[in-house]
């Protein structure tokens, strides 16, 4: 049965997918992978050697996040196209583009267990390649966030959440560009990542609890 744009079931599905993305993304990056990749290349090689199962779990969490992200792109298009079909389509395209880049970066990270024993420094480079792919993907997500903020501003979602999503796009874009071309600025930008965490969590809760767009 087709669902209308304000069908609470579809809105709550979007919220559930968003929750999966938040939980899996934070788990993969901060809890599983982050501790393995801290320190000098030599320290990273030792940590990876002792924590391959932990790295593989991070790959699994990221894969679940990626699948949820693709599904959410499609669900958001269905929910928001009544506001502006062209903007909803653009938001979907940029979110799917991010998913493609993150998926490609996971291929680099997935090669780490295979090359670690024979070429440990190459394994470290593969983790760097994954990080670069993730950052480029987040630049596309920054554009998605800007478009989504316009759509959400015109929806039933509170304007403060829509504004938070707009600011989140600025943070994602600035952070990813800084990592790529001016890493010395990351210490200044990193505290601002609290904004996306709060704004996206608020949107997730709105979708789950209020179930209105």
């Amino acid at each position: 049965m087709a669902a209308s744009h304000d069908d609470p079931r579809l809105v709550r599905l979007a919220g559930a997918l968003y929750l999966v993305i938040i939980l899996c993304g934070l788990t993969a990056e901060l809890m599983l992978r982050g501790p393995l990749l801290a320190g000098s290349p030599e320290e990273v090689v030792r940590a990876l050697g002792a924590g391959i199962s932990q790295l593989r779990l991070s790959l699994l969490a990221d894969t679940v996040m990626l699948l949820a992200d693709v599904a959410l792109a499609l669900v958001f298009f269905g929910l928001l196209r009544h506001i502006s079909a062209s903007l909803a389509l653009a938001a979907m395209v940029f979110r799917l583009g991010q998913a493609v880049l993150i998926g490609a970066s996971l291929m680099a990270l997935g090669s780490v267990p295979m090359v670690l024993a024979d070429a440990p420094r190459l394994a470290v480079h593969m983790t760097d390649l994954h990080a670069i792919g993730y950052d480029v993907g987040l630049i596309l997500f920054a554009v998605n966030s800007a478009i989504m903020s316009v759509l959400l501003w015109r929806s039933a979602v509170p304007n403060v959440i829509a504004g938070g999503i707009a600011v989140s796009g600025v943070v994602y874009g600035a952070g990813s560009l800084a990592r790529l071309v001016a890493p010395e600025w990351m210490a200044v930008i990193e505290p601002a990542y609290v904004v996306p965490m709060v704004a996206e969590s608020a949107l997730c809760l709105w979708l789950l609890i209020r179930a209105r767009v």
Side-chain angles (χ1 to χ4, degrees):
M1 181 176 65
S4 65
H5 63 77
D6 59 351
D7 186 333
R9 295 169 302 175
L10 195 58
V11 180
R12 287 198 172 95
L13 174 60
L17 290 169
Y18 224 133
L19 182 61
V20 169
I21 292 165
I22 292 170
L23 293 178
C24 287
L26 291 177
T27 299
E29 185 64 26
L30 299 182
M31 297 178 60
L32 295 173
R33 187 163 54 244
L36 299 177
L37 303 182
S40 66
E42 292 75 17
E43 291 171 326
V44 171
V45 168
R46 287 195 294 271
L48 288 172
I52 285 297
S53 60
Q54 190 171 322
L55 180 70
R56 290 194 170 110
L57 282 175
S58 80
L59 285 166
L60 177 60
D62 267 336
T63 300
V64 174
M65 179 194 72
L66 184 63
L67 292 172
D69 225 348
V70 171
L72 184 59
L74 300 175
V75 172
F76 268 150
F77 175 71
L79 287 172
L80 299 172
R81 62 182 175 181
H82 71 284
I83 298 173
S84 171
S86 58
L87 287 178
L89 178 61
M92 181 178 69
V93 168
F94 277 101
R95 192 165 198 130
L96 291 176
Q98 175 211 215
V100 169
L101 286 170
I102 290 178
S105 73
L106 288 179
M107 294 172 63
L109 193 64
S111 69
V112 168
M114 294 179 285
V115 302
L116 184 61
D118 296 328
R121 292 303 292 266
L122 179 59
V124 175
H125 290 320
M126 289 297 100
T127 67
D128 292 335
L129 183 59
H130 165 264
I132 291 171
Y134 209 100
D135 280 324
V136 175
L138 283 178
I139 292 172
L140 296 184
F141 187 62
V143 179
N144 165 272
S145 296
I147 299 169
M148 284 292 296
S149 70
V150 175
L151 290 165
L152 294 173
W153 191 273
R154 301 177 186 175
S155 75
V157 173
N159 287 350
V160 66
I161 295 179
I165 296 298
V167 177
S168 298
V170 175
V171 173
Y172 283 131
S176 292
L177 287 172
R179 282 195 184 95
L180 293 173
V181 301
E184 65 275 11
W185 281 92
M186 280 310 302
V188 177
I189 297 172
E190 278 181 349
Y193 276 92
V194 70
V195 175
M197 290 181 65
V198 171
E200 293 190 87
S201 296
L203 177 57
C204 173
L205 290 174
W206 173 271
L207 296 170
L208 283 170
I209 298 170
R210 296 303 299 271
R212 291 178 58 219
V213 289

